[in-house]
Amino acid sequence: MELLPSASLFMLLLLSLLIFLPLISIGSVLDGQVEEKFTEELLLKPLPDRKVLAHFHFESTAPRTQYYGRHHHLFPKAIAQLVQKFSIREMELSFTQGRWEYESWGGYDPISSSSAKPPGVELWAVFDVPVDQVDASWKNLTHSLSGLFCASINFLESSTTYSAPELAFHPASVNLRYGTLPREAVCTENLTPWLKLLPCRDKSGISSLLDRPSIYRGFYHSQRLRLRRVKIRADAPDSDTVLEQTLTVVLQPNGIRSKESQSSKRKLHPTWSMSSLFGRKIEGRCALAKSSNVYLQLERDLVAEMKRLKEKRKFFDISVLNEDLIENPAFEISIKPDLVLREVLSSQNESSSLTYEYSIGKSASPNTFDLSFTWKSPVAWSCRKPPLRASRFLMGSGNERGTIAISLRSMGPDEGLNVSDMDKERCVLPVNIFQVVPWYIKVYFHTLKVFIDEKPMSVLDAVEKIHISPSEDKVSPGVMEMVLKLPCGVKSATITLEFDKGFLHIDEYPPDANQGFDIPSAIITFPNIEASIYFDQEITLKDLPLLSSFQEKNPIRYYTEVLLVPLTTPDFSMPYNVITITCTVFALYFGSLLNVLRRRVSEEERLHNAKGKSGPLSRLIAKLRRSKEIQPQSTTTSSSLFSSKLILKIIMVAAIAICWQYLSG
């Protein structure tokens, strides 16, 4: 009897081992695999035109292994289903409000090249499917994204709204599809689903700064979602899925100016802080984030300007100006950075940009983080600009034909690229131009003209490669891709294309047809000029994804303006006018006809006379009127005339109705 408890205890231990041993083995296998990872980062940068750039960067990585399958801990399930169902290799979706000012905010840095997008919606995707299935996958993807982000992306399913770039768009692939909606409005209905893809949403961490009124009152707002499959480890059998979510905002700080700054000749930049820009502070980091960092970046020209002021000894004292510029009389930072990263340049004559790193949770105020930037002396500088400024405009007048012109002008101080005189003759600057034109804008590509430095050039001499896909009515848009080869010392270059304006069916006009029709932005790419920043310390994808993306070799990309083309619009009130006039004529015609057919003149006279004979008063009145009564012959004549006039009227109304039906039919 004493052995029974020991036997039951032994059986219980054996059963527990059988249950937990598989779990322990599975856990040990999972420990050897790459785990899901989520990072959140924010970059703040003062701009020369008294504004502040805020760039939010969130990245989620999910390994593609047999152990995870369709279940994820941090990676959004909706995005994982899109990748699996539509075999997406790479995709990018952006919602943009406003236009990026390349002259004031820069165009030679990684943020402007990757996050500066055209107004409205831009979508491109590369599929891992056979070529004959790409269009079907694209249409299904647009419907899925439309429901996911509460937008009109499903309008891109039509073959008249998307194209297949082959030459001048990066990345080049046969399975690439590209489409834009320039007039798509951006609002909180698009931002809320975008935030739901984050593990902490907007409840904690850096994403808690995304206050809707603060974000949408900015001068520029662009939310971007990029999906790609990369092989982070060389020995990994499958590629990892990386979801990159960025939000770029340009805000105007409401700083307090002193009396001295108001009286100064050069205006003092306004003081700003995170709480004044967004109305909130960072209350700790996201619990699911592997790293949570805030960066403060100073442009090259700003650092160079402070060094010039140091040499002149106009504002600064040499003893208080260090190499990191943390302590200087020009500005003051409320929190000392954890790490200072300096840009590595090939030339020793140029000043390097500085990036201050703050790790949330490790700073002086681990619970609440509120970085403030206070200007104490006026400083003027400029951002790095692209080598050529691109603009697009329309020429001509009338609603029949016109001309599209794309102008490229140098933005350098010497109105040309910084190339020595000996190299200008041999140096060639390639420029890729990608332009999509709707089918109702009938472009004549044989009218292409090229002007370099305001001098006409032969197309064969100025164009290295060109790929043209003419438009087809109500089927596909017109696509032009070309590679210009310009001399490095060029000051201006212009290309022109003539076009005719087509006619649409009345059902194809939008509700606001009199406003005009949009031509999407042209994309200007400089393939040989890279927008990258290298730092003096080793930065890997595992540590700081945002700064690691700055080191990627991406070409400079420039978006032109959206053109507004007025087309000939019909009189939309014409159907109403036709219906009204036709109904009026028919009413007069049938009313008069029925009145004549149903009216009995003799019966009415008999009834009137019968009523007149009844009663003494009526007889007295009849005797008094006898002297004034007309003779029977005249009465007969007038009644005959009356009947003839009535018949003529009826015939005239019938003739008018017949003519109207003949002309309107």
Side-chain angles (χ1 to χ4, degrees):
M1 298 298 294
E2 295 180 359
L3 297 176
L4 184 59
S6 60
S8 59
L9 182 61
F10 176 75
M11 294 297 296
L12 183 61
L13 291 175
L14 182 60
L15 183 61
S16 60
L17 286 175
L18 292 176
I19 293 175
F20 290 103
L21 187 59
L23 297 178
I24 295 173
S25 61
I26 292 175
S28 61
V29 173
L30 288 177
D31 290 339
Q33 302 296 327
V34 180
E35 296 181 355
E36 295 184 13
K37 184 180 65 173
F38 171 73
T39 59
E40 54 177 2
E41 296 167 293
L42 168 63
L43 185 138
L44 301 172
K45 183 171 69 172
L47 298 176
D49 58 348
R50 307 169 61 82
K51 298 180 180 62
V52 179
L53 169 67
H55 180 72
F56 295 83
H57 184 274
F58 307 95
E59 185 172 295
S60 302
T61 306
R64 193 175 181 181
T65 61
Q66 57 181 349
Y67 301 103
Y68 281 94
R70 299 183 181 180
H71 303 283
H72 299 279
H73 301 289
L74 301 177
F75 199 84
K77 184 179 179 180
I79 301 300
Q81 291 175 344
L82 289 179
V83 175
Q84 184 178 6
K85 185 173 183 179
F86 303 119
S87 300
I88 300 174
R89 185 195 311 167
E90 193 171 358
M91 185 194 73
E92 184 173 294
L93 172 66
S94 63
F95 298 86
T96 306
Q97 179 180 351
R99 186 173 183 271
W100 182 267
E101 298 291 341
Y102 290 92
E103 297 183 11
S104 302
W105 305 338
Y108 210 125
D109 57 287
I111 293 180
S112 61
S113 297
S114 61
S115 299
K117 295 297 179 180
V121 171
E122 182 191 42
L123 173 65
W124 60 266
V126 181
F127 301 92
D128 271 336
V129 295
V131 180
D132 56 347
Q133 300 179 8
V134 174
D135 292 334
S137 300
W138 168 266
K139 294 179 181 180
N140 294 330
L141 177 63
T142 56
H143 281 273
S144 300
L145 293 176
S146 179
L148 185 62
F149 291 98
C150 299
S152 303
I153 309 176
N154 58 315
F155 288 162
L156 292 175
E157 71 163 345
S158 175
S159 60
T160 59
T161 57
Y162 69 88
S163 59
E166 297 181 5
L167 181 64
F169 189 84
H170 179 78
S173 175
V174 181
N175 295 347
L176 172 66
R177 295 296 181 267
Y178 174 86
T180 57
L181 295 174
R183 202 172 290 189
E184 179 71 15
V186 183
C187 61
T188 56
E189 293 181 355
N190 310 124
L191 181 60
T192 301
W194 185 85
L195 290 173
K196 288 183 178 180
L197 300 177
L198 302 176
C200 296
R201 299 191 178 183
D202 57 346
K203 305 303 180 183
S204 63
I206 294 178
S207 58
S208 62
L209 296 176
L210 298 177
D211 181 47
R212 274 62 165 186
S214 302
I215 295 298
Y216 285 99
R217 74 162 181 257
F219 290 85
Y220 176 83
H221 164 264
S222 178
Q223 64 183 61
R224 184 173 68 101
L225 183 143
R226 185 180 182 186
L227 184 66
R228 52 198 174 98
R229 286 160 55 182
V230 296
K231 220 172 191 180
I232 299 179
R233 299 183 307 164
D235 57 344
D238 297 323
S239 301
D240 296 345
T241 304
V242 179
L243 174 63
E244 181 182 348
Q245 296 177 247
T246 62
L247 179 64
T248 307
V249 190
V250 177
L251 301 173
Q252 176 67 54
N254 299 322
I256 301 176
R257 305 185 185 92
S258 61
K259 296 182 179 179
E260 297 179 358
S261 64
Q262 293 178 359
S263 61
S264 60
K265 295 182 180 180
R266 293 195 299 174
K267 293 183 179 180
L268 185 67
H269 285 251
T271 298
W272 54 269
S273 63
M274 298 175 67
S275 58
S276 65
L277 291 176
F278 306 103
R280 299 177 181 178
K281 303 177 183 179
I282 299 179
E283 302 290 343
R285 59 187 296 175
C286 176
L288 301 175
K290 188 173 183 179
S291 63
S292 181
N293 300 318
V294 176
Y295 308 103
L296 177 63
Q297 190 178 52
L298 304 180
E299 287 279 352
R300 290 184 187 178
D301 199 42
L302 176 58
V303 177
E305 181 67 20
M306 298 185 68
K307 290 183 178 180
R308 284 194 293 266
L309 294 175
K310 167 191 171 182
E311 295 174 357
K312 293 180 180 180
R313 300 185 181 183
K314 186 175 181 180
F315 295 102
F316 302 120
D317 186 8
I318 301 178
S319 60
V320 298
L321 184 66
N322 54 13
E323 294 294 332
D324 297 335
L325 302 181
I326 298 177
E327 297 179 359
N328 61 83
F331 60 84
E332 181 181 353
I333 306 174
S334 61
I335 303 176
K336 187 176 180 180
D338 301 329
L339 182 64
V340 179
L341 301 174
R342 184 180 297 274
E343 182 184 4
V344 177
L345 299 176
S346 58
S347 176
Q348 300 293 335
N349 299 327
E350 296 181 356
S351 298
S352 302
S353 63
L354 297 177
T355 303
Y356 301 148
E357 178 188 346
Y358 300 89
S359 180
I360 305 299
K362 298 180 181 179
S363 59
S365 302
N367 296 326
T368 302
F369 184 84
D370 186 14
L371 178 65
S372 62
F373 194 94
T374 305
W375 289 97
K376 297 185 292 185
S377 298
V379 179
W381 77 96
S382 61
C383 294
R384 298 187 65 193
K385 303 173 183 178
L388 297 175
R389 181 187 63 182
S391 61
R392 189 180 57 167
F393 51 90
L394 293 176
M395 298 190 300
S397 60
N399 291 328
E400 186 177 358
R401 60 180 58 90
T403 303
I404 299 176
I406 299 177
S407 176
L408 302 173
R409 293 188 175 275
S410 175
M411 301 180 66
D414 57 348
E415 296 299 329
L417 295 179
N418 297 326
V419 183
S420 61
D421 296 334
M422 297 182 62
D423 296 337
K424 283 184 179 180
E425 297 180 357
R426 300 189 302 267
C427 180
V428 176
L429 176 66
V431 179
N432 297 345
I433 299 178
F434 174 68
Q435 173 69 75
V436 180
V437 182
W439 65 267
Y440 44 80
I441 304 296
K442 306 180 184 302
V443 180
Y444 298 106
F445 293 102
H446 70 278
T447 61
L448 174 65
K449 297 179 181 179
V450 182
F451 301 88
I452 297 179
D453 292 336
E454 300 181 356
K455 297 179 181 179
M457 294 287 294
S458 173
V459 176
L460 297 177
D461 297 336
V463 178
E464 182 179 357
K465 296 179 182 179
I466 187 170
H467 176 265
I468 293 174
S469 177
S471 62
E472 188 176 352
D473 289 354
K474 303 180 182 181
V475 175
S476 62
V479 180
M480 183 189 69
E481 301 176 84
M482 67 168 57
V483 179
L484 292 176
K485 48 181 182 180
L486 304 176
C488 291
V490 65
K491 296 181 180 179
S492 65
T494 306
I495 63 173
T496 59
L497 286 167
E498 298 179 4
F499 67 90
D500 283 349
K501 301 178 182 180
F503 293 93
L504 302 178
H505 191 268
I506 190 172
D507 296 334
E508 296 173 347
Y509 284 92
D512 52 349
N514 293 317
Q515 179 183 352
F517 293 80
D518 295 317
I519 297 181
S521 300
I523 304 177
I524 313 297
T525 309
F526 302 92
N528 290 357
I529 303 178
E530 299 173 354
S532 57
I533 299 178
Y534 298 94
F535 299 96
D536 54 357
Q537 297 189 13
E538 185 67 23
I539 306 298
T540 61
L541 287 172
K542 192 175 181 180
D543 299 331
L544 305 173
L546 176 59
L547 300 185
S548 299
S549 64
F550 289 173
Q551 299 181 358
E552 297 178 359
K553 297 181 179 181
N554 295 321
I556 293 179
R557 183 175 295 177
Y558 195 111
Y559 287 91
T560 63
E561 304 89 347
V562 176
L563 287 182
L564 190 64
V565 180
L567 296 182
T568 303
T569 56
D571 184 7
F572 294 102
S573 62
M574 185 185 300
Y576 171 77
N577 297 334
V578 170
I579 293 173
T580 304
I581 295 176
T582 304
C583 292
T584 304
V585 171
F586 271 95
L588 293 175
Y589 169 69
F590 285 105
S592 303
L593 184 61
L594 291 175
N595 189 19
V596 172
L597 295 176
R598 299 289 298 175
R599 185 177 181 182
R600 298 180 181 179
V601 181
S602 59
E603 186 69 19
E604 291 180 356
E605 291 180 354
R606 186 181 65 79
L607 293 175
H608 179 71
N609 295 332
K611 291 181 180 179
K613 293 180 180 180
S614 60
L617 184 60
S618 60
R619 288 195 298 270
L620 179 62
I621 295 174
K623 289 181 181 181
L624 294 175
R625 288 182 177 178
R626 283 178 183 176
S627 59
K628 299 180 181 181
E629 287 182 354
I630 304 174
Q631 296 180 0
Q633 296 178 357
S634 61
T635 304
T636 305
T637 305
S638 62
S639 62
S640 62
L641 292 175
F642 174 76
S643 59
S644 62
K645 290 181 180 179
L646 182 61
I647 293 172
L648 288 175
K649 288 182 180 180
I650 294 173
I651 295 173
M652 186 178 297
V653 171
I656 292 173
I658 293 172
C659 294
W660 180 263
Q661 290 295 326
Y662 177 76
L663 294 176
S664 62

